Amino acid sequence: MTSKQEANQIASFDAVVIGAGFSGMYMLYRLREAGLSTRVYEAADGVGGTWYWNRYPGARCDSESIYYNYTFSEELYREWTWSSRYPEQPEILKYLNFVADKFNLRTDIQFETRVQAAHYDEDSKRWQISLNDGTCVSAKYFITGVGCLSASNLPKFNGLENYKGDWYHTGHWPHTKVDFTGKRVGIVGTGSSGVQAIPVIAAESAHLTVFQRTPQYSAPARNHPYDAEYIREAKENFHEIKKQIRESAGGAPAEVPTKSALEVTPEERLAKFEEAWEVGGQGIFTSFYDITINPEANELAAEFIRSKIRSIVTKPDVADKLMPSYYYGTKRPIIDTDYYETFNRDNVSLVDVKKNPIAEITETGIRTSEGEYELDAIVFATGFDGMTGPLLKMDIRGKDGVSLKEKWNGGEDTRTYLGVANAGFPNFFMITGPESPSVFSNMPASIEQHVEWVSDCIEYMVANNLETVEANVEAEEAWSKHCREVAEATLFTKTESWYTGANIPGKTRRFLIYLGGVGAYRQKCTEIAENGYEGFTFERSTADIQGSIK
C-alpha cells in the first residue's frame, strides 16, 4: 500500500462487495450471517442493480416471475406476491427494495459510491480498494456483483454533441416519466430493450422511426395477471419449485425436449411450434433438443417465426425488412408484447441502417446514406459491453501488479476458473463472471448458486485458518478450454451478437458463457468443493483469524 493510500484509508473490512442488485444484496446477507464485516458499494442511490437503471418504457423481465426471485428464504418467497407472469421494472425494483428492508441490508451498503480501483497487496494479503471520493478501504475478500450487462454501450455517432433535441439510453433512463406525446421519436437498436420499448413509445408518440441494423426473432410473451389459486399453489410447492430451478438446464422448471425437430412429421412439428407460440415465452427455443446444435433443425424454427412475421405485418416491404436470416436463438431469444403488430401502425416507420447506415446525428435528427429524419427525441437502445465490460471498466490488479485487463489481454484471452475466480488474483471472487452460465440462465438462480458457493468457500477458509485462496493456472486453462468446446458444439459461436462482443467495435470475438446447463454446473461446483476445492491453492494463515468471526 502506498503512503497516499495509507493516508486516505478510512476503514477495514473482512469483505467488500461491489453492486447492490440481486448479487450484491444476497452476498451481503450471506457474509453477515457468517459473521464477517462486509461493506457493499453501489453507484446508484438505491438498491436494484440493473433494475434500478433500466427504467425505459416497456422494461420487463423475460423469465417468469415465480422463478425470477430469491429462493434462499421460504419466508421471503411466501411473503411476496407477483402480479403477473412477466413483471415490469417498477414491480421488480419494488421486490428488491422489499428484500433490502426485510433483511435490513441498507445499513451495510454505501450508495452513490463507485469503486475505481482494487489492488491486491501481497505483503498484507489484503485488497486496497479506491473509491471515487478519493478514499481507500481495505478488505480481505474482494467480490464483484456488477452484473454481466451493466456497462452501457453508446456507439460513437458523429455529431451527437450537436443534436438540439432530447436523447436517452435505455440503460440509463430518467427516474421521472419521459413524455413522448406529440413528438417525432427515433429509436436506434432492436435488441431486447428496443423490442420492449418500441410498442410503448409508438402508442404515445406522434411518429416513431425505428432504425434497425439487424432484425430479430421474437415470440409473444402472452403476459397475463396471476390468479390467486396459481399463486397459492406456487407458494405451497416452494420446495419442489426450488429443487426444479436448481436442477434445471436454464434455471427455471421446463420440460426437457427428447425429440429432434427432424424426426417428427411436418404436421407434428408445426403443431409443437404453434402450441409454443400460443402459450408464449421461450417455448419455441426449447421445443426440440437440436434447435441450437443442428442447422437444419434451427432453420425449421427460424422459418416458422418468419412465417408469423409475414402473417402479422400487413406491409410486405416492411415485413421483408423484419425477416432475420441468422441462426434462430443465437442472439438473445426475445419475447415481446405486440412488437411485430406495431409496424402496422400508420405512425411507425422502419429504416434498414445496415443497407443505409447512419452517417451522422444532425442538429435536428438522424441522417442516413439515403436521407435525413427530423426528430424531437432519440432513444438509443444500443445495449451493453457485455460479460467483460463491467469488470474491465475498473482497475483490478492482482499479484505483481498485473491488471485483469492485462491478464485477459483486453478480452482477447479471457479465462477464468468456473467463472468465479482467476489465477493470480487471491481472494477475488466474481458473481456470474465470464465462463459461468450467467446470462444464459434465469439470473437469480445462477446468482444464488455463486453466492452460496463463494460464502461456503470463505467459511471453509475461516474454519481451517486459511489466509488466501487462488485458482490454479492449470485448472483455469482446463475450464476455459471446456467452455469453448461446449460452445463450439452449438450454433451460438456461428453468429455475431453481444454474446460474442460483436456489438463493440474492436472487441475480440469470444463466447464467454458456459452452455453446459445450470444444474450440471451446480453439480460440478459442488464436487470441486467436496474434493477440498480441487483446482484451488490455499495459503495457511500465520495468525489466528478466528477472532474476525463473531
Side-chain angles (χ1 to χ4, degrees):
M1 182 166 49
T2 67
S3 57
K4 183 178 181 181
Q5 286 176 317
E6 288 177 339
N8 292 336
Q9 185 167 317
I10 58 172
S12 178
F13 303 98
D14 291 325
V16 159
V17 180
I18 305 180
F22 269 101
S23 299
M25 289 206 300
Y26 186 34
M27 192 79 251
L28 170 60
Y29 172 84
R30 286 282 300 213
L31 293 176
R32 281 200 328 197
E33 289 293 295
L36 276 74
S37 62
T38 305
R39 178 59 55 93
V40 175
Y41 293 104
E42 167 57 55
D45 64 6
V47 302
T50 188
W51 296 109
Y52 175 94
W53 298 107
N54 287 264
R55 300 166 182 253
Y56 59 85
R60 69 170 71 239
C61 181
D62 56 8
S63 292
E64 295 193 44
S65 60
I66 60 169
Y67 313 128
Y68 194 80
N69 39 223
Y70 294 117
T71 61
F72 68 86
S73 166
E74 182 177 4
E75 182 179 291
L76 171 63
Y77 193 85
R78 287 180 174 274
E79 287 180 356
W80 180 264
T81 299
W82 294 105
S83 66
S84 65
R85 186 184 186 188
Y86 297 109
E88 290 187 286
Q89 178 270 340
E91 187 174 4
I92 301 172
L93 185 58
K94 185 178 180 181
Y95 168 74
L96 290 167
N97 275 279
F98 177 81
V99 174
D101 291 339
K102 178 175 176 60
F103 298 110
N104 192 29
L105 299 178
R106 289 185 179 83
T107 57
D108 292 307
I109 302 173
Q110 183 170 317
F111 295 106
E112 299 183 270
T113 304
R114 289 186 181 274
V115 170
Q116 294 184 320
H119 296 178
Y120 183 69
D121 181 4
E122 295 181 60
D123 292 330
S124 65
K125 294 181 171 52
R126 295 181 65 84
W127 285 88
Q128 306 302 328
I129 299 159
S130 301
L131 308 176
N132 62 337
D133 62 1
T135 60
C136 178
V137 298
S138 169
K140 184 179 183 65
Y141 304 102
F142 175 53
I143 304 166
T144 56
V146 294
C148 305
L149 297 172
S150 60
S152 59
N153 170 46
L154 179 64
K156 294 181 180 179
F157 292 108
N158 292 331
L160 179 58
E161 68 279 5
N162 300 320
Y163 180 58
K164 301 298 185 184
D166 298 318
W167 66 267
Y168 313 90
H169 190 284
T170 50
H172 289 278
W173 203 261
H175 289 201
T176 55
K177 177 177 168 52
V178 177
D179 188 0
F180 291 117
T181 303
K183 293 185 177 180
R184 300 164 299 176
V185 183
I187 184 166
V188 181
T190 55
S192 182
S193 300
V195 166
Q196 289 183 334
I198 284 167
V200 180
I201 296 175
E204 184 177 300
S205 61
H207 192 277
L208 176 65
T209 303
V210 178
F211 296 87
Q212 171 193 270
R213 186 175 186 274
T214 305
Q216 297 288 343
Y217 296 101
S218 187
R222 309 288 188 209
N223 187 45
H224 56 78
Y226 281 143
D227 60 51
E229 179 60 20
Y230 184 85
I231 290 295
R232 186 192 68 78
E233 290 181 1
K235 292 182 178 183
E236 288 298 317
N237 292 318
F238 167 77
H239 293 289
E240 181 59 27
I241 287 174
K242 179 177 179 178
K243 182 175 183 291
Q244 291 176 354
I245 286 173
R246 295 188 168 209
E247 293 177 356
S248 67
E255 182 181 346
V256 179
T258 58
K259 291 184 178 181
S260 163
L262 306 177
E263 69 180 39
V264 299
T265 67
E267 293 77 17
E268 289 175 314
R269 185 170 55 246
L270 179 60
K272 186 73 172 176
F273 287 154
E274 288 285 4
E275 179 187 11
W277 186 266
E278 290 306 315
V279 170
Q282 304 286 9
I284 295 173
F285 188 69
T286 57
S287 54
F288 298 97
Y289 74 79
D290 53 354
I291 296 293
T292 60
I293 60 176
N294 185 309
E296 191 176 347
N298 187 279
E299 175 58 22
L300 293 169
E303 180 51 33
F304 173 78
I305 296 179
R306 288 193 289 262
S307 74
K308 289 297 184 183
I309 298 172
R310 294 187 194 97
S311 68
I312 294 170
V313 181
T314 57
K315 304 168 188 175
D317 60 326
V318 176
D320 287 344
K321 291 179 183 178
L322 290 167
M323 294 291 177
S325 58
Y326 52 88
Y327 291 122
Y328 162 63
T330 53
K331 291 179 180 286
R332 178 181 176 178
I334 294 175
I335 58 175
D336 71 85
T337 300
D338 297 330
Y339 175 63
Y340 295 122
E341 290 84 350
T342 297
F343 291 95
N344 293 331
R345 298 177 61 102
D346 291 335
N347 71 325
V348 175
S349 303
L350 179 63
V351 178
D352 181 352
V353 295
K354 182 171 284 186
K355 183 178 179 181
N356 301 292
I358 293 175
E360 65 174 335
I361 310 294
T362 68
E363 290 189 359
T364 56
I366 293 178
R367 184 173 67 81
T368 72
S369 59
E370 67 173 2
E372 185 169 347
Y373 299 83
E374 293 191 353
L375 303 167
D376 302 307
I378 301 174
V379 174
F380 294 103
T382 48
F384 302 88
D385 182 357
M387 312 311 296
T388 58
L391 292 164
L392 296 184
K393 281 178 68 176
M394 294 179 286
D395 179 19
I396 301 174
R397 296 178 180 269
K399 288 181 173 179
D400 300 320
V402 175
S403 72
L404 197 60
K405 179 177 274 189
E406 289 171 325
K407 185 205 169 180
W408 288 352
N409 194 16
E412 187 172 338
D413 191 24
T414 301
R415 60 197 187 280
T416 71
Y417 188 32
L418 304 174
V420 175
N422 285 271
F425 291 75
N427 292 358
F428 169 47
F429 299 100
M430 303 172 296
I431 304 174
T432 64
E435 299 181 332
S436 74
S438 64
V439 295
F440 207 73
S441 68
N442 175 33
M443 286 300 295
S446 286
I447 286 167
E448 281 193 321
Q449 184 273 330
H450 265 194
V451 167
E452 290 162 9
W453 192 94
V454 169
S455 59
D456 286 347
C457 180
I458 291 174
E459 289 185 60
Y460 172 86
M461 292 175 66
V462 172
N464 290 279
N465 200 30
L466 300 171
E467 185 77 8
T468 65
V469 61
E470 181 184 344
N472 298 339
V473 172
E474 297 80 10
E476 182 181 75
E477 291 177 347
W479 177 254
S480 190
K481 179 182 178 183
H482 173 58
C483 289
R484 290 194 301 272
E485 289 173 345
V486 173
E488 287 295 338
T490 73
L491 301 175
F492 287 97
T493 58
K494 314 302 188 291
T495 297
E496 290 195 343
S497 68
W498 68 255
Y499 285 154
T500 63
N503 62 320
I504 305 298
K507 187 171 183 176
T508 302
R509 306 294 189 260
R510 293 284 306 278
F511 191 86
L512 296 173
I513 308 165
Y514 180 61
L515 294 177
V518 169
Y521 175 83
R522 174 183 288 275
Q523 184 177 354
K524 177 65 175 176
C525 290
T526 300
E527 290 172 356
I528 286 171
E530 290 175 346
N531 290 333
Y533 291 92
E534 183 179 19
F536 289 91
T537 296
F538 294 92
E539 183 177 330
R540 186 163 296 280
S541 174
T542 56
D544 184 8
I545 63 170
Q546 299 298 325
S548 67
I549 301 299
K550 299 171 185 175

